[in-house]
């Protein structure tokens, strides 16, 4: 399993233990062979392309095992298809778009082939000004593109209940297509399609999906990810 939470660091090591009776030349041969294998392993790992899920508690799979969340399920599907991709889970519970923008640089040390942006839900639940939320989403996309122009970006659309008023909720929903169009990125219209608001598919808090809910979310997002895989 190559699913990674926050960051992944590979420390390949191939050790060949020689017998005490080996001659000095045999030991040298073993050492050389070990170094070649280790170098080859490192090279193979570095060739893996990265899919970075960058979001909040939904991405982090709050309340369940992260491997059962939609990011973890994406890695499982990739492994089953023997694709050379590694998923990094950059989800942080409680994260807002402002917080995401401030911590983004740390996740851009390595180039992601696919960047899935899942933020804004907490902004909406807190009633943050939509102009601010939209600006942060645009800045996140700009920052990714500025550093890695070839990265394919997928924006996960969200919806919120009308706690802050129906007008706010409607404008919140419309914000995601507007951002996607302005920045020409792929849009998942609603990440929690067929999951949001369905009690049996969410934890008791009514916000975070259960394992079964995450399976449905994965089915929603996978076609968009698959279309971006080389």
């Amino acid at each position: 399993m190559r699913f990674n939470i926050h960051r992944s660091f590979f420390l390949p090591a191939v050790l060949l233990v020689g017998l005490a009776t080996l001659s000095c030349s045999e030991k040298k041969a073993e050492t050389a062979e070990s170094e070649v294998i280790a170098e080859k392993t490192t090279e193979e790992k570095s060739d893996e392309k990265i899919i970075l899920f960058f979001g909040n508690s939904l991405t982090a799979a709050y309340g369940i095992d992260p491997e059962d969340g939609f990011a973890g399920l994406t890695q499982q599907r990739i492994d089953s298809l023997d694709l050379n991709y590694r998923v990094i889970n950059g989800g942080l519970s409680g994260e807002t778009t402002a917080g995401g923008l401030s911590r983004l640089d740390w996740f851009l040390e390595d180039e992601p082939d696919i960047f899935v942006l899942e933020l804004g839900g907490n902004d909406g639940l807190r009633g943050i000004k939509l102009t601010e939320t939209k600006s942060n989403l645009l800045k996140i996309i700009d920052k990714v593109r500025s550093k890695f122009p070839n990265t394919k970006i997928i924006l996960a659309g969200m919806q919120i209940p009308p706690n802050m008023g129906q007008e706010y909720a409607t404008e919140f929903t419309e914000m995601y297509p507007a951002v996607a169009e302005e920045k020409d990125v792929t849009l998942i219209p609603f990440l929690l399609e067929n999951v949001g608001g369905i009690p049996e598919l969410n934890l008791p808090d009514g916000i975070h999906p259960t394992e079964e809910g995450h399976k449905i979310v994965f089915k929603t997002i996978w076609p968009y990810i698959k279309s971006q895989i080389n």
Side-chain angles (χ1 to χ4, degrees), residues 28 48 99 220:
K28 288 181 179 179
E48 284 184 325
T220 295

Side-chain angles (χ1 to χ4, degrees), residues 109-163:
E109 292 181 3
D110 297 316
E111 179 177 5
D113 185 65
I114 301 173
F115 181 88
V116 183
L117 177 55
E118 180 274 305
L119 282 174
N122 287 319
D123 294 49
L125 293 175
R126 298 176 188 184
I128 294 174
K129 290 182 179 180
L130 295 180
T131 53
E132 180 180 337
T133 299
K134 182 179 180 181
S135 175
N136 289 333
L137 291 173
L138 293 172
K139 288 176 181 176
I140 289 172
I141 293 171
D142 285 343
K143 182 170 283 193
V144 174
R145 279 196 170 149
S146 176
K147 188 167 186 179
F148 300 118
N150 295 324
T151 293
K152 298 177 279 286
I153 300 175
I154 300 174
L155 177 63
M158 283 299 298
Q159 298 176 14
I160 57 171
N163 296 5

Side-chain angles (χ1 to χ4, degrees), residues 178-210:
V179 170
E181 182 177 2
E182 181 173 340
K183 291 301 178 181
D184 191 25
V185 300
T186 299
L187 174 69
I188 301 173
F190 181 34
L191 180 70
L192 299 180
E193 186 72 37
N194 299 318
V195 175
I198 302 176
E200 59 269 27
L201 295 176
N202 290 275
L203 298 176
D205 62 18
I207 297 175
H208 299 95
T210 61

Side-chain angles (χ1 to χ4, degrees), residues 18-39:
L19 296 175
T21 57
L22 288 177
S23 67
C24 181
S25 60
E26 288 173 329
K27 289 181 179 179
K28 288 181 179 179
E30 279 196 352
T31 300
E33 180 182 359
S34 176
E35 290 175 351
V36 170
I37 294 174
E39 183 178 352

